[in-house]
Amino acid sequence: MSQFQSTMDEEKLARYPQQPHGKKLVNRVLTEKARKDAMERARKLPMIVVDLEAVITLEMIATGVLSPNEGFMTEADYKSVLTEGRLTNGVIWPVPLSFAPTGERNEHVIKTLSVGDEVALADDTKEPVAILKLDDIFHYDREFRASHLFGTTDRSHPGVDSIYRRMGDTALGGPIQLLRRVHWGPFENIRMEPKDTWKLFYEDKQFNSVGGFITGANPLHRGHEYIHRNALEEMDGLFVQPLVEMAKREYTRHEFRMLSYRSVLDNYYPKDRTMLAPLRVTYIFAGPREAVLHAIIMKNYGCTHALIGRDHAGIGDFYDKYAAHTIFDEFTTDELGIDIRLFHEVFYCTRCDHPATDMTCPHDKRYRINISGTGIRELLRYGVLPPKEIVRPESARIAMQGVQPKGVDASRKAINPVGKTIKSIFPYYLERSRLGGSKREAPLEAEELTIEDLEAAILDVRSNADRVYKEIFDEFSYVSDTLRSTQSDWIADARESIHQQQKMVVESLVEKVDKASEKASDEFMYQDKDEAERELAVARRIFDDIPSPLRVEELTYRTWNPLPYNRYRS
């Protein structure tokens, strides 16, 4: 009997529509007697204390999330991944999976170790979490790692900073054995490991295709929903995995973000085809490389398709807006083993009355409400629900409860630049008087905007976003409906009244022209005939511009073939 917890029958796995990365779903979770014996052995081994991020990584390795890796990388694989984006055996792998503990005590322990030794890895309770069998011990160059992994050595990049802040001088490589899992707190009852999802997708639900979607610090918004609905039109199932680790404190707390997802999925998604589970993954901040890692993680969970948005795993301005798309040009679908579906930036077009992208919408930004994750978080911090067109209230209401700190100080001044938030969500505001409105005489400067401008933009959208297309439809329906009982009589009444009033104006001016002299005695008091004629011409043009009142008797002309319907039937 295997010392590791059973995952699934390999013969059965081979018949599924998907296969794990590297053709092997890794399992390094010790069970029963093997676990008990290993725990006793671990307590006698040299011990290295690791932080929570390392503990999470150990669990990811052991449960197959990071298959085909069975532990931390040796120097050969580490360098191959940095320079080639592949393991030494040629399997695609985008980010180094390395272990270089910090701290004086840990450094002292490392100096006593040799290749072939075992070392216990313990959490802050000093209780062993895993055993690492050493296949390699090597030193590495931080600058080399940063430049190859992140494309920069700038310490303002959070991934670069993490190298210098969290990593020691010596890396340890080799396979691990997991002795105990970490409790997932509020997510313990809904956590899912790869062994669970493969069974769920392909045995319980009998799916042939599943789209995977990994998302970060934002509550579920309409951009996500746009991607999800496109996938559900084509695929049997959708597997949504919000990340629940390492978000900044001012973001929405993980449990509230998960609840916001559940609220929307329960109300707007097909329950039998949509699955939600937290993904406890340490952020690497690797931009496009991390997008590839997420695609592989989705594959290891059994997904046949990876849904990748515009700025997946992006970090500020360090990477091109679509770098998470173009990186997949470096790999074939066969090599990756998962179908990559790329989606452009989604916004809400009030003229289309629908979420859209530049690939599907011809209208300019005066009609747009942008779906900016950062902007949405800022609105929640200010304590205001974002427009319903970009975040459903079921999501925003719950997410707002988990946002700390709030967005304004005691004097109601914005903690973060409010102009940046307005510009990110309401792109028309700096140049237009309102949504779809006329141009301002002089564009506003984002740096000069205040909380009052944010209030104005929010109230404008709440009042007008759903009016744009509604009023367009109302006009179309008025001039199109031949069943006039669907239209209000007062519109025709008003148009008839305007016609009669303007007819009166024209008749009066005709009489005025007839009586006007060729030359006025006082050009400032009286009109000559030429000026009166110009005045009459304008009045007649206004009369012609007035829309016609439409009633049943005025629309008989539209029936150009009066042959009775039963003649066609016969």
Side-chain angles (χ1 to χ4, degrees), residues 242-258:
L243 299 174
V244 293
E245 256 339 305
M246 314 313 293
K248 295 179 181 177
R249 293 182 67 181
E250 70 266 22
Y251 290 178
T252 300
R253 288 189 64 85
H254 314 304
E255 56 269 35
F256 286 94
R257 189 156 44 87
M258 283 295 294

Side-chain angles (χ1 to χ4, degrees), residues 47-59:
M47 179 181 293
I48 291 176
V49 177
V50 298
D51 61 14
L52 180 59
E53 288 192 51
V55 171
I56 293 169
T57 302
L58 288 167
E59 188 171 296

Side-chain angles (χ1 to χ4, degrees), residues 115-387:
V115 171
D117 288 347
E118 287 185 326
V119 59
L121 307 181
D123 60 17
D124 56 3
T125 68
K126 306 298 190 294
E127 186 71 6
V129 173
I131 294 175
L132 170 64
K133 174 71 178 301
L134 291 172
D135 285 347
D136 201 0
I137 302 174
F138 62 95
H139 295 271
Y140 65 93
D141 185 326
R142 287 184 172 84
E143 188 171 318
F144 180 85
R145 178 186 176 99
S147 60
H148 281 78
L149 179 56
F150 303 115
T152 180
T153 57
D154 185 344
R155 285 289 296 267
S156 66
H157 185 296
V160 175
D161 181 63
S162 181
I163 292 176
Y164 289 89
R165 182 173 46 82
R166 291 192 61 252
M167 298 189 68
D169 298 317
T170 305
L172 308 177
I176 61 114
Q177 297 174 326
L178 191 70
L179 305 178
R180 61 185 179 91
R181 288 180 170 87
V182 180
H183 194 278
W184 280 32
F187 310 120
E188 183 64 29
N189 293 334
I190 58 173
R191 67 186 286 179
M192 297 187 79
E193 296 174 2
K195 64 179 176 61
D196 304 315
T197 53
W198 288 85
K199 179 179 182 298
L200 175 65
F201 299 161
Y202 302 119
E203 293 182 32
D204 299 345
K205 292 185 174 290
Q206 299 287 301
F207 288 158
N208 288 308
S209 58
V210 180
F213 185 80
I214 292 175
T215 179
N218 302 313
L220 192 151
H221 55 61
R222 300 293 289 274
H224 297 146
E225 196 172 322
Y226 177 91
I227 294 172
H228 298 163
R229 292 187 183 281
N230 273 276
L232 283 167
E233 289 288 349
E234 178 186 358
M235 299 158 204
D236 293 340
L238 172 70
F239 186 45
V240 181
Q241 290 185 286
L243 299 174
V244 293
E245 256 339 305
M246 314 313 293
K248 295 179 181 177
R249 293 182 67 181
E250 70 266 22
Y251 290 178
T252 300
R253 288 189 64 85
H254 314 304
E255 56 269 35
F256 286 94
R257 189 156 44 87
M258 283 295 294
L259 290 170
S260 79
Y261 267 79
R262 284 178 57 187
S263 180
V264 176
L265 266 57
D266 285 347
N267 284 283
Y268 296 98
Y269 285 59
K271 292 181 175 60
D272 59 331
R273 297 174 55 215
T274 308
M275 294 136 291
L276 174 70
L279 180 60
R280 204 172 190 188
V281 174
T282 54
Y283 286 1
I284 302 170
F285 304 105
R289 282 198 178 217
E290 194 158 3
V292 178
L293 175 65
H294 286 172
I296 292 172
I297 288 174
M298 295 180 220
K299 178 183 177 183
N300 283 330
Y301 270 94
C303 299
T304 56
H305 297 70
L307 313 176
I308 304 293
R310 184 264 302 179
D311 193 27
H312 191 102
I315 306 294
D317 297 324
F318 281 100
Y319 306 108
D320 178 75
K321 188 161 81 168
Y322 284 102
H325 286 191
T326 55
I327 192 169
F328 288 101
D329 294 340
E330 300 175 19
F331 314 108
T332 67
T333 301
D334 287 343
E335 283 183 302
L336 276 173
I338 186 168
D339 195 334
I340 306 297
R341 295 299 169 90
L342 305 174
F343 291 86
H344 283 70
E345 183 174 13
V346 183
F347 50 82
Y348 193 93
C349 176
T350 57
R351 179 64 182 84
C352 290
D353 194 30
H354 201 272
T357 72
D358 283 328
M359 304 295 286
T360 60
C361 171
H363 304 115
D364 62 35
K365 66 182 181 181
R366 65 183 157 153
Y367 291 110
R368 292 184 184 180
I369 310 171
N370 283 349
I371 304 177
S372 160
T374 302
I376 288 168
R377 291 198 304 270
E378 290 303 302
L379 289 184
L380 295 175
R381 290 182 61 208
Y382 293 137
V384 61
L385 284 190

Side-chain angles (χ1 to χ4, degrees), residues 546-567:
I546 297 170
S548 300
L550 299 178
R551 300 190 188 275
V552 174
E553 56 270 20
E554 278 112 27
L555 299 179
T556 55
Y557 75 92
R558 296 189 184 183
T559 305
W560 51 266
N561 185 343
L563 194 65
Y565 180 64
N566 59 5
R567 291 284 301 278

